[in-house]
Amino acid sequence: MDSYSTVFHLWEDRHKDCKLTDIMEVRFIELPKFRRAKPDLGKPLDRWLVFIEDSPEEVLEMAMREEPAIARAEEVLQYLGSFDEIRRYYEAREMAVHDEITRITGAREEGLREGIEKGIEKGIQKGMEKGTFQMKAGIVRNMRSIGVKDEEISRLTGLTVEEVESII
């Protein structure tokens, strides 16, 4: 959906024209979509979202002129912001949110670093196994060229007779 606001009502399942109530609705607002849209201050919802989103002062003033309740809400926020205890609570909450983001980011970076290290170790291990096999293959060819039987080559190299035969 392109709209930043969706509204749902409660309907009877079999009779879609029968709404349970006109009093209740569920409204979802996607703020990232609203931020990309140009607010229409003619709409009450857009005026309130301008207030919630901490918009530029001139936009907020226009919204408050159109919607006196927004001006009252701004006064209440200013009043509450004057209390040191409330401000400290707000700042502590903001700090906790930032700490959590930092913790998650650090954990992701640590996990990525650990994954890279294990991947490198595994790659080196596979490379060594491959190198060991290549070295044994060279030994198998040399032993065969001087007439050593496959069973004896198998016993000396630790390869199966089938592996010895596949190398040759």
Side-chain angles (χ1 to χ4, degrees):
M1 283 189 237
D2 292 332
S3 177
Y4 58 84
S5 174
T6 51
V7 182
F8 296 90
H9 296 92
L10 299 175
W11 301 90
E12 205 286 325
D13 284 346
R14 289 170 293 198
H15 305 287
K16 299 295 180 192
D17 58 336
C18 181
K19 191 187 303 185
L20 176 65
T21 178
D22 289 333
I23 297 172
M24 188 172 83
E25 64 185 27
V26 178
R27 186 176 292 263
F28 292 91
I29 299 171
E30 298 178 68
L31 291 175
K33 285 184 180 179
F34 175 74
R35 288 181 196 117
R36 290 190 298 265
K38 186 174 182 342
D40 179 358
L41 296 180
K43 296 179 180 176
L45 177 61
D46 283 21
R47 290 192 296 264
W48 278 102
L49 291 176
V50 160
F51 172 69
I52 290 170
E53 277 293 288
D54 195 27
S55 297
E57 192 65 35
E58 61 276 0
V59 176
L60 184 56
E61 286 175 9
M62 287 190 296
M64 287 191 289
R65 277 195 299 274
E66 291 289 321
E67 191 81 43
I70 293 175
R72 179 70 183 123
E74 178 68 17
E75 287 173 18
V76 170
L77 279 178
Q78 293 299 322
Y79 174 73
L80 291 174
S82 67
F83 291 107
D84 288 340
E85 186 177 341
I86 291 173
R87 191 176 316 112
R88 279 193 301 274
Y89 174 77
Y90 171 77
E91 289 169 355
R93 175 74 181 124
E94 285 294 305
M95 195 178 310
V97 168
H98 288 291
D99 289 349
E100 181 69 8
I101 290 169
T102 301
R103 188 188 64 74
I104 289 170
T105 303
R108 281 188 181 142
E109 289 172 358
E110 183 180 335
L112 182 62
R113 195 171 35 254
E114 211 173 286
I116 289 171
E117 287 172 7
K118 287 190 184 213
I120 290 170
E121 283 175 22
K122 208 169 201 176
I124 289 171
Q125 195 174 34
K126 283 190 179 203
M128 287 175 63
E129 289 170 3
K130 187 177 180 184
T132 302
F133 182 79
Q134 289 173 340
M135 190 171 73
K136 285 183 180 181
I139 292 169
V140 166
R141 286 189 204 97
N142 288 340
M143 292 174 82
R144 192 77 180 309
S145 70
I146 60 170
V148 179
K149 295 190 183 310
D150 291 350
E151 291 79 16
E152 186 62 16
I153 295 172
S154 171
R155 189 182 67 74
L156 293 170
T157 61
L159 298 170
T160 66
V161 174
E162 291 79 20
E163 288 172 325
V164 170
E165 290 171 353
S166 72
I167 290 171
I168 295 167

